[in-house]
Amino acid sequence: MHRSAPRLSRILVCAAVPVMLVAAGCSSDSGDTKDTGSSTSPSGSGSAEPTVEPAKFSELPDACTSLGKKTITDLVPKAKTKGGTAGKSSDTSTRASCSWNGLDDNGVKGSQYRWLDVAFTRFDSDQSLGSGAERATAEFTKQVAKARAAEDAQKVAAAPAEGVGEEATAVTYDLKKTGEDFKYATVVARTGNVVVTLTYNGAGYAGAKTPSGADILKDAQKAAKEAVASVGTKDADDETSPSASASAKASDKSDDKDAEKNGDKDGAKSDDKS
């Protein structure tokens, strides 16, 4: 009887050993699973979203000064407002326009009427909408379609306008209004992320001869090329602002002073040697 107690204790201890080993094994497996899960977390396998191309132009020119005085005088000889009439815009950095019109009265020989309008539209690059250039290309297509669908237009024709921006289309048509025959030319051009739309038309009044459609188109293309060239000038002006010029001058003066000091030192060394 007395020997059976120690023996029973040994049996219970041995029986408990496998349970402890199983528990240890489960604990080890749990730790391995957790480590494996952390090494393949979704955050480590994500890829960055591609960015769109930055917009080329950040500003628009002043629409009423985008065409030179000589151009206005040639195209609208008797303009009512030489400086043009600016169109309404809530943000002139993205949308701006200006127009001129006038009647050149030649007495008994009749009168010549001319009307000129230039409009600029700029697009910023947007991650969800696309690059400024892509958005401007879509607007370019839209404006060409709009010009070709002018109400009551006759003899509508469209052709590429060479040498105007990165892409350009000239749309011509005839239109009868106020009892006179008008000749129209609209040139739509794109440069970078900016669309330029220039419309020029004319008519002869009081027996005056109707202007040539070819001449109206030629003048419109010339003016459109000038308007496109004005895009980006404001950005360039910002880079050469008075503050930037002052900084450059200060830098030049500093360089001059350093040169003078170095020159004095070199002169002193030369005197010592002699």
Side-chain angles (χ1 to χ4, degrees), residues 6 24 51 74 92 191 206 228 234:
T51 57
D74 290 344
T92 54
T191 175
V228 168
K234 193 169 183 180

Side-chain angles (χ1 to χ4, degrees), residues 22-244:
V22 172
C26 291
S27 176
S28 176
D29 291 342
S30 176
D32 292 344
T33 303
K34 188 179 291 184
D35 291 342
T36 303
S38 63
S39 64
T40 58
S41 61
S43 61
S45 60
S47 59
E49 187 177 354
T51 57
V52 296
E53 179 186 8
K56 184 177 181 179
F57 302 109
S58 61
E59 296 283 351
L60 286 179
D62 181 340
C64 290
T65 60
S66 63
L67 301 177
K69 293 181 179 179
K70 185 178 185 303
T71 299
I72 300 302
T73 301
D74 290 344
L75 272 61
V76 190
K78 298 293 183 179
K80 292 179 180 179
T81 307
K82 296 290 184 181
T85 302
K88 293 182 179 180
S89 175
S90 58
D91 183 2
T92 54
S93 70
T94 58
R95 192 177 297 274
S97 63
C98 192
S99 62
W100 298 260
N101 70 86
L103 185 68
D104 186 7
D105 191 347
N106 296 305
V108 295
K109 294 182 179 180
S111 303
Q112 288 290 334
Y113 175 81
R114 297 291 185 273
W115 185 84
L116 174 66
D117 178 89
V118 61
F120 299 85
T121 308
R122 186 183 66 83
F123 296 87
D124 287 319
S125 292
D126 186 280
Q127 189 67 32
S128 60
L129 300 176
S131 69
E134 291 172 338
R135 298 175 67 193
T137 299
E139 177 67 13
F140 167 81
T141 303
K142 177 181 175 181
Q143 289 299 323
V144 171
K146 182 179 178 181
R148 298 185 67 170
E151 188 176 358
D152 297 328
Q154 300 293 324
K155 300 180 181 179
V156 180
E162 301 296 337
V164 185
E166 295 178 36
E167 57 180 332
T169 297
V171 180
T172 58
Y173 54 90
D174 295 347
L175 188 64
K176 193 174 187 67
K177 60 181 183 178
T178 64
E180 305 296 341
D181 295 321
F182 278 74
K183 294 291 184 179
Y184 271 78
T186 296
V187 180
V188 183
R190 181 186 67 83
T191 175
N193 56 312
V194 175
V195 175
V196 180
T197 304
L198 185 139
T199 299
Y200 183 51
N201 66 67
Y205 278 86
K209 186 179 179 181
T210 300
S212 163
D215 288 342
I216 290 292
L217 174 60
K218 181 180 178 181
D219 288 341
Q221 289 181 316
K222 179 182 176 181
K225 190 173 183 179
E226 188 175 332
V228 168
S230 73
V231 177
T233 55
K234 193 169 183 180
D235 290 292
D237 290 341
D238 290 341
E239 292 178 2
T240 57
S241 61
S243 59

